[in-house]
Amino acid sequence: MSVALRNAQRAVPVRRAPLRRAVCVLRAALGVPRFDVGLVCAGNGLMRRLNGAYRQRSEPTDVLSFPFHQVAAGELPRPRCRDEYNLGDIFLGVEYIHQQCRATGEDFDSVLAVTAAHGLCHLLGYQHNTKCEWEQMYQKEVEILEYLNRLTGASLRPLTAGLF
């Protein structure tokens, strides 16, 4: 039901309200509007530590997702009680994202929303380790971003375009 958003970095100003609204719309597009999600805006140091601890890559990254439920892509969690209405936590590497946006000229707030969409898909079991997994995840990202685009007038596209 809620999006708990915490800014755990000071390197980059983050407009919290638009990001929170985008995540709420994306949850609805995924069919999980009643589920809580934690969103942490992190700097390069925290992202480097988390990426090293959980993915054995000691470098900052744009997004890391930690699901509460273990579900297959395309399945929705089946909570048994109120405490299980939780999707999990998404760590957005806002400092890393900001650096990438400065290098490419992309809009930072738009890329944050797209990255959050990517993270939400990971919370719901979508992966991109193989071409087949990537195709499934890419299609889901396109679908939910088109939903967000219709409501906001934006023209957001998935992060993983052209991955395979």
Side-chain angles (χ1 to χ4, degrees), residues 78-138:
R78 294 189 175 138
R80 294 180 303 249
C81 63
R82 174 63 196 118
D83 290 343
E84 292 182 3
Y85 277 86
N86 183 356
L87 291 180
D89 297 314
I90 300 169
F91 285 75
L92 294 174
V94 295
E95 185 177 0
Y96 179 87
I97 294 166
H98 188 260
Q99 290 166 342
Q100 297 298 313
C101 287
R102 283 187 23 222
T104 63
E106 292 181 78
D107 178 68
F108 175 67
D109 291 322
S110 296
V111 175
L112 273 185
V114 170
T115 307
H118 187 82
L120 282 166
C121 286
H122 278 308
L123 292 182
L124 290 172
Y126 291 91
Q127 298 297 324
H128 47 78
N129 299 318
T130 66
K131 185 175 182 179
C132 183
E133 288 176 343
W134 169 79
E135 287 172 349
Q136 188 178 27
M137 183 168 184
Y138 183 80

Side-chain angles (χ1 to χ4, degrees), residues 13-34:
V14 176
R15 296 177 55 220
R16 294 178 190 203
L19 180 58
R20 184 185 317 270
R21 280 193 301 271
V23 170
C24 287
V25 169
L26 292 164
R27 281 185 314 168
L30 285 163
V32 289
R34 295 177 49 206

Side-chain angles (χ1 to χ4, degrees), residues 145-156:
L145 289 171
E146 285 178 352
Y147 183 85
L148 180 61
N149 290 339
R150 281 192 301 274
L151 293 177
T152 63
S155 56
L156 305 178

